[in-house]
Amino acid sequence: MPNNFHELPLKLDRKGLAPLSVQVADGLRAAAASGVLQRGDRLPSSRALADQLAVSRTVVAAAYDQLHAEGWISGKQGSGTYLLAAPEITEPRTIMPVPEDDSADLLDLGPGAPCTDTIDPAAWRRAWRAAADQAPRIRKDRAGEPDYRAAVAEHLLRHRGLTAGGGTVVLATGGTSSAVSEFAAAVLRPGDRIAMENPGYQRAVGAFRAAGVQVLPVPVDAEGLRVDRLPQDIRAVYCTPAHQFPLGGRMPAARRVQLVEFARRHGILILEDDYDGELRYDTAPLPLLAALAPDVVVHLGTTSKILTPTLGAGWLVAPPGIADAVLAHRDRTGTGPAPAGQLVLAELAGNGDLARHLRRLRREMPPRRALVVDELHRRGLTVLGDDAGSHVVIPLESAEEELRITAAARRRGVYLDGLGRHHIGPAHTFGISLGYAALPESALGTAVRIAGYCLTRP
């Protein structure tokens, strides 16, 4: 205790709303928390402290009674009142700033971003207003909003040729990465092995590893995942057959059948991430793996690529046993996707605005791709990737070349994404994965010219 208890920093506001006894108790707690009082210190008697503060002894006695009840102090007959509890004195805490990502200030030519220019502002506002008109939920449906799940089923039937229902169950998710996390936690066990495309989607890799699942890299070629290189002792395989991320190939029908046969023969599951699946504008899309084999395929989709990550909504279509396991996991953990984005998507779909948006999106992507490919070809560059989706690939010889080009583009205000970071383990395929959806068309032309310059500059 201070040498003289008159040094105790107790100040009373006699005009304040809080009773004086409460103010005395608060002041003593603050003195203990700040280190002015230490554990074991003897406090002044109630009479002495009352005299110091010019209050009645009853006020101090009430404050001491409260602190005693809370376990802060203890009175010993004949020896006084002592402080029992006080926090350890540590260095003052500081709030660490979140590192700033300067890529937000660059012209974004990264893959995987949506084209928000095609979203009709009036339809967008109308959907949010209609969603807000619904009464606030008391409890959320763990499976997802019924109208949203119905809208997803209709969307998959019309735009992806998948009949969801009957032998499968549609669940709402928070997006593809969220769905992977839930699948890993609900269906797999720590130590299980899952095969993944390499290079491939690293957020899915992170989600599996966070659940204690061992991720085994499998090579890809121009036709996607190499089924002939799949290990046998696995529980599942994750792939992006519609438009392989990040190399851009499309898995042909024969290889899809080969993958399904492998899954059935070895009793494993296939996670089909339908990345860019809706953005097929050269030919009709191939049948989904989930349509070929609903018994062994878990189909994942998201609104983040066809609309915007603002909604935070996706879907999972799975056999009933898998869906039940995911729902049981949500019940155990109290988790599940937020309803707000689901309500907005359901409104967009119900008014026909989602279908109109997808038609605009499919009309918008081909000229954007042509602009990019023409500029890169004009500079003599090789361009890889199926004539679909929202990104192309420019192959490079080495990691050093990739780093030099991405750094040069960044200095000129353009973000380019190198293939090296998309590998599981040491990188072996290098290049630039160049997306053309995020920027307005006027800015896209400028950014691609800068990218082309950096790609051809010695």
Side-chain angles (χ1 to χ4, degrees), residues 312-339:
W315 53 85
L316 176 152
V317 182
I322 302 298
D324 289 345
V326 172
L327 290 175
H329 169 73
R330 291 178 180 179
D331 282 335
R332 287 194 303 272
T333 60
T335 57

Side-chain angles (χ1 to χ4, degrees), residues 204-222:
V205 174
F208 285 123
R209 286 177 171 168
V213 174
Q214 184 179 357
V215 179
L216 305 181
V218 178
V220 298
D221 59 18

Side-chain angles (χ1 to χ4, degrees), residues 101-150:
D101 182 5
D102 63 353
S103 63
D105 299 325
L106 303 176
L107 294 174
D108 188 355
L109 289 180
C115 180
T116 57
D117 279 1
T118 54
I119 297 176
D120 177 6
W124 180 250
R125 290 191 294 269
R126 184 166 57 245
W128 280 95
R129 284 196 297 268
D133 284 341
Q134 299 193 38
R137 301 294 188 263
I138 297 174
R139 299 182 185 274
K140 63 182 180 182
D141 191 323
R142 294 281 187 216
E145 292 293 312
D147 288 348
Y148 173 79
R149 296 168 63 204

Side-chain angles (χ1 to χ4, degrees), residues 62-426:
Y64 277 11
D65 286 345
Q66 180 61 37
L67 294 173
H68 185 274
E70 294 174 4
W72 284 89
I73 62 176
S74 176
K76 297 181 180 179
Q77 184 68 34
S79 62
T81 301
Y82 293 82
L83 186 67
L84 292 181
E88 296 294 333
I89 303 303
T90 60
E91 292 297 320
R93 292 185 179 181
T94 57
I95 299 175
M96 296 299 291
V98 177
E100 294 185 4
D101 182 5
D102 63 353
S103 63
D105 299 325
L106 303 176
L107 294 174
D108 188 355
L109 289 180
C115 180
T116 57
D117 279 1
T118 54
I119 297 176
D120 177 6
W124 180 250
R125 290 191 294 269
R126 184 166 57 245
W128 280 95
R129 284 196 297 268
D133 284 341
Q134 299 193 38
R137 301 294 188 263
I138 297 174
R139 299 182 185 274
K140 63 182 180 182
D141 191 323
R142 294 281 187 216
E145 292 293 312
D147 288 348
Y148 173 79
R149 296 168 63 204
V152 168
E154 179 71 11
H155 166 77
L156 291 173
L157 178 62
R158 287 181 175 271
H159 299 281
R160 302 300 289 123
L162 175 63
T163 302
T168 57
V169 178
V170 179
L171 299 182
T173 70
T176 300
S177 298
S178 173
V180 170
S181 295
E182 288 192 306
F183 175 86
V187 179
L188 303 180
R189 298 184 300 271
D192 280 349
R193 293 157 36 112
I194 185 166
M196 279 200 59
E197 301 164 327
N198 190 40
Y201 187 42
Q202 293 305 295
R203 287 183 177 173
V205 174
F208 285 123
R209 286 177 171 168
V213 174
Q214 184 179 357
V215 179
L216 305 181
V218 178
V220 298
D221 59 18
E223 295 183 342
L225 180 82
R226 289 277 303 274
V227 179
D228 62 319
R229 299 290 297 275
L230 281 172
Q232 296 187 10
D233 185 20
I234 56 176
R235 287 286 310 280
V237 56
Y238 172 98
C239 59
T240 51
H243 197 216
Q244 200 276 328
F245 183 86
L247 297 185
R250 174 177 60 162
M251 185 179 287
R255 188 170 293 189
R256 293 178 187 228
V257 172
Q258 183 186 11
L259 178 57
V260 167
E261 290 176 345
F262 180 95
R264 285 174 171 160
R265 187 166 61 250
H266 295 280
I268 69 169
L269 291 168
I270 302 169
L271 270 76
E272 177 184 35
D273 180 349
D274 197 31
Y275 172 73
D276 270 359
E278 290 91 349
L279 300 184
R280 193 88 232 169
Y281 41 79
D282 57 341
T283 60
L286 288 168
L288 291 170
L289 292 173
L292 293 174
D295 55 319
V296 295
V297 175
V298 177
H299 177 81
L300 309 178
T302 180
T303 59
S304 294
K305 304 299 184 291
I306 59 173
L307 277 164
T308 167
T310 301
L311 297 179
W315 53 85
L316 176 152
V317 182
I322 302 298
D324 289 345
V326 172
L327 290 175
H329 169 73
R330 291 178 180 179
D331 282 335
R332 287 194 303 272
T333 60
T335 57
Q342 300 174 43
L343 296 175
V344 174
L345 190 282
E347 292 293 338
L348 288 168
N351 294 329
D353 290 321
L354 177 61
R356 284 187 284 271
H357 166 74
L358 289 173
R359 288 195 292 270
R360 288 193 299 272
L361 191 58
R362 293 191 184 107
R363 289 194 301 267
E364 179 74 13
M365 288 298 103
R368 285 171 172 258
R369 187 180 192 280
L371 183 155
V372 170
V373 172
D374 289 349
E375 174 64 22
L376 298 177
H377 280 170
R378 186 180 69 81
R379 293 179 176 271
L381 294 164
T382 299
V383 180
L384 305 178
D386 216 28
D387 188 13
S390 58
H391 81 271
V392 296
V393 172
I394 304 96
L396 298 173
E397 293 295 327
S398 66
E400 292 74 20
E401 189 179 14
E402 184 180 291
L403 290 172
R404 176 181 62 78
I405 290 167
T406 54
R410 180 177 286 271
R411 287 194 298 270
R412 289 164 175 80
V414 172
Y415 170 69
L416 293 179
D417 185 32
L419 295 179
R421 73 179 186 91
H422 296 289
H423 286 74
I424 305 168

